[in-house]
Amino acid sequence: MALVMLLLIVAVATAAAVPAELPRLEQSPKADGSLTILAVGDWGRHGEFNQSRVATQMGIVGEKMDVDFIISTGDNFYSDGLSGVDDKAFEDSFTGIYTAKSLHKPWYTEATPWRRSAPPFRKSDSRWICKKSFVVAAEIADFFFVDTTPFVVKYWTDPKNSTYDWRGVAPRETYIANLLEAHGVDLYINGHDHCLEQISSSDSPLQYLTSGGGSKAWGGVYTPGADKVEFFHDGQGFMSLRLTAMEARLAFYDVAGTVLHTWAHAKPAHS
Ligand SMILES: *[C@@H]1O[C@H](CO)[C@@H](O)[C@H](O)[C@H]1NC(C)=O
Ligand SMILES: *[C@@H]1O[C@H](CO)[C@@H](O)[C@H](O)[C@H]1NC(C)=O
């Protein structure tokens, strides 16, 4: 089992905070100013273990919402990543699974410092956009794609760390939660925990959203801290997000497409 990637995506309210040096991909909102997104993680298991069922429901919800793009939160190809550009797992776990027309949109995902990272696969499926540390700028929100693996201390001390290519990875002295709060980040979306979950920060408006149920699931454990667990589902599924300049709405779905939990938040008028 390779649990090597803890990916985070954060959305901030203003474009001003985007460091100029990160690659920026532009994504236009719809004509009505909204942006609709699906997020799924921990999925690549050749369609088995409910991956295909989740994919089918993503296709249906994706069509209803007319999604603009999909965020893949990591741990994409079980159990060991891709062996090379010819690895059939890419077709078996991605191209051949997420076949719905509504899912033929950009799939943004973060490349890990994994030796078997996936950028070359863009060639065989143009949807697959996998880079290291980048920003998707969508006018009403910015999405920072960051591999948070280096923030997991044991990954630096574990002998298995030889698997990773740490070159170019910044020191991890400044932990991520401080950065999120300092920059007024609204949402943090991650995978790697094999569940669906929403946690509200106790000391800021930040929401932690876990969408790690693309196939791997049934972890059976979660550890609430001082923050409030709004929702937890120990099973497969995915998440949708609808953003406008003034409001965020999210929903979590199970393998049958049943809505398990929704949440909405309007921005205070003067922020
Ligand atoms: C698939 O999903 C159903 C419904 O949640 C669940 O009962 C079943 O155990 C899942 N199968 C696997 C292999 O995870
Ligand atoms: C990898 O782990 C070994 C053993 O714990 C440690 O000595 C080494 O510094 C680690 N390498 C990195 C790049 O963290």
Side-chain angles (χ1 to χ4, degrees), residues 155-162 166 172:
Y155 290 164
W156 289 71
T157 52
D158 192 307
K160 278 191 299 186
N161 68 9
S162 61
W166 293 110
R172 62 198 153 75

Side-chain angles (χ1 to χ4, degrees), residues 54-97:
V54 172
T56 299
Q57 296 305 325
M58 284 175 65
I60 294 167
V61 173
E63 187 178 337
K64 253 184 229 160
M65 294 183 70
D66 183 20
V67 291
D68 296 296
F69 60 89
I70 293 108
I71 291 169
S72 175
T73 56
D75 279 1
N76 306 313
F77 298 97
Y78 287 101
S79 57
D80 227 359
L82 297 166
S83 58
V85 284
D86 297 326
D87 195 329
K88 218 176 148 301
F90 187 73
E91 197 187 321
D92 292 349
S93 287
F94 180 66
T95 313
I97 302 294

Side-chain angles (χ1 to χ4, degrees), residues 111-250:
T112 57
W114 213 344
R115 63 192 154 142
R116 287 175 260 188
S117 65
F121 287 86
R122 177 108 201 241
K123 285 194 197 95
S124 54
D125 191 324
S126 62
R127 291 182 284 173
W128 186 248
I129 301 167
C130 180
K131 292 177 176 294
K132 193 169 174 177
S133 302
F134 63 104
V135 182
V136 173
E139 293 177 29
I140 58 169
D142 287 327
F143 299 82
F144 292 74
F145 287 73
V146 180
D147 177 15
T148 52
T149 311
F151 293 89
V152 180
V153 173
K154 72 172 182 197
Y155 290 164
W156 289 71
T157 52
D158 192 307
K160 278 191 299 186
N161 68 9
S162 61
T163 311
Y164 306 112
D165 177 0
W166 293 110
R167 283 170 301 180
V169 175
R172 62 198 153 75
E173 279 77 20
T174 311
Y175 286 95
I176 207 92
N178 302 334
L179 286 173
L180 302 182
E181 289 190 14
H183 292 276
V185 167
D186 301 303
L187 306 173
Y188 171 105
I189 306 173
N190 69 280
H192 196 56
D193 283 346
H194 301 151
C195 62
L196 305 176
E197 188 171 27
Q198 177 181 3
I199 297 174
S200 295
S201 169
S202 57
D203 51 12
S204 79
L206 180 60
Q207 301 296 314
Y208 296 95
L209 308 169
T210 300
S211 188
S215 172
K216 249 313 173 168
W218 315 111
V221 285
Y222 76 106
T223 317
D227 297 328
K228 183 172 175 226
V229 179
E230 305 277 352
F231 164 70
F232 173 75
H233 176 61
D234 182 20
Q236 287 111 344
F238 62 101
M239 191 188 95
S240 72
L241 190 58
R242 183 177 186 277
L243 299 177
T244 66
M246 297 310 295
E247 192 192 51
R249 274 179 187 278
L250 63 89

